[in-house]
Amino acid sequence: MTARHVEGAAAYVPETVDLGRLAGAVQGCRGCDLFQGTTQAVFGAGPAAATMMLVGEQPGDHEDRDGKPFVGPAGRVLDDALLAAEITREQVYLTNAVKHFKFTRAAGQKRRIHKTPSRTEVVACRPWLFAELGAVQPDVLVLLGATAAKALMGNDFRLSAHRGEVLRPPDPGVPDNDLQVVVSIHPSAVLRTPREGRDAAYDGLVADLRLAASLLV
Ligand code: URA
Ligand code: SF4
């Protein structure tokens, strides 16, 4: 089987810093195959004036149906962690590295099971993330999980080696070079952690968010 050419989102991203226009245009994106079988694209949400941007991986089943990021179980963990770090939802713009839900379905099953997006799909979708960064121009960027971290910090980036650090984005495609970057685990990783380690995993997420909040002037 030969790999199909993946066009990428660039041709679909309008040249604008208007989040409403971007959010409208993303529904027509055919930059990769992930739109197939989904309900809709899930664009970021939050005020254009947000000083902090949080990036997850991709919408899940709930987000695909609702059209909003982080409204399912992982979103509840994130909401709790933001509250614990004294960050309000109004301060943050919340989005994902990939805008369509990638899933598989076990034979004969209705339930859609999350599938991690490939590097090709992450790179294909990245123009939307860059457009969001250009529109919101946050001071602080929090990358939640390996997919988001690699999307902006490069494919060789090791999340666990850089927890608790304040980083600069190395990718020349990232629009704002004054950006300070913090990486953390994905909230759904907290949910996947066995019970005995779950509180520690959650506390780690909160600590990273506190670090991010401390960078806001
Ligand atoms: N996981 C994510 O990474 N993003 C969402 O929006 C929901 C779950
Ligand atoms: Fe476009 Fe991203 Fe959806 Fe692929 S996942 S179709 S690049 S919006």
Side-chain angles (χ1 to χ4, degrees), residues 32 58 62 69 72 85 93 96 105 109 111 115-116 146 190 214:
C32 76
Q58 61 165 349
H62 287 82
Y93 182 88
N96 286 300
R105 233 189 280 261
Q109 295 276 299
R111 203 165 75 85
K115 211 171 164 210
T116 303
V190 174
S214 77

Side-chain angles (χ1 to χ4, degrees), residues 42-43 55-64 68-75 78 94-98 114 144 147-148 186-188:
V42 179
F43 204 58
V55 185
E57 184 191 73
Q58 61 165 349
D61 180 74
H62 287 82
E63 290 78 18
D64 172 72
K68 294 189 212 69
F70 285 105
V71 292
L78 182 59
L94 213 52
T95 192
N96 286 300
V98 167
H114 162 276
L144 300 167
T147 300
H186 193 283
S188 63

Side-chain angles (χ1 to χ4, degrees), residues 35-122:
F35 69 92
Q36 288 174 6
T38 61
T39 312
Q40 57 197 318
V42 179
F43 204 58
T51 48
M52 188 186 290
M53 185 183 289
L54 268 61
V55 185
E57 184 191 73
Q58 61 165 349
D61 180 74
H62 287 82
E63 290 78 18
D64 172 72
R65 285 184 273 127
D66 268 29
K68 294 189 212 69
F70 285 105
V71 292
R76 282 191 286 280
V77 174
L78 182 59
D79 279 343
D80 288 348
L82 285 170
L83 198 65
E86 295 177 59
I87 300 168
T88 63
R89 271 261 190 166
E90 293 70 55
Q91 276 176 291
V92 301
Y93 182 88
L94 213 52
T95 192
N96 286 300
V98 167
K99 307 308 195 234
H100 278 103
F101 176 34
K102 183 175 186 179
F103 61 90
T104 50
R105 233 189 280 261
Q109 295 276 299
K110 269 196 87 171
R111 203 165 75 85
R112 301 184 296 178
I113 303 157
H114 162 276
K115 211 171 164 210
T116 303
S118 71
R119 177 71 185 167
T120 304
E121 289 153 349
V122 169

Side-chain angles (χ1 to χ4, degrees), residues 8-9 26 29-35 41 98-100 121 124-125 128:
V26 76
C29 186
R30 300 294 179 260
C32 76
D33 286 340
L34 291 187
F35 69 92
V98 167
K99 307 308 195 234
H100 278 103
E121 289 153 349
C125 207
W128 291 112

Side-chain angles (χ1 to χ4, degrees), residues 158-165 183-185 200-201 203-205 208 211:
R158 301 214 19 105
L159 172 60
S160 54
H162 296 284
R163 299 276 302 275
E165 294 176 10
V183 297
S184 191
I185 53 166
D203 291 346
L205 173 62
D208 293 333
L211 169 63

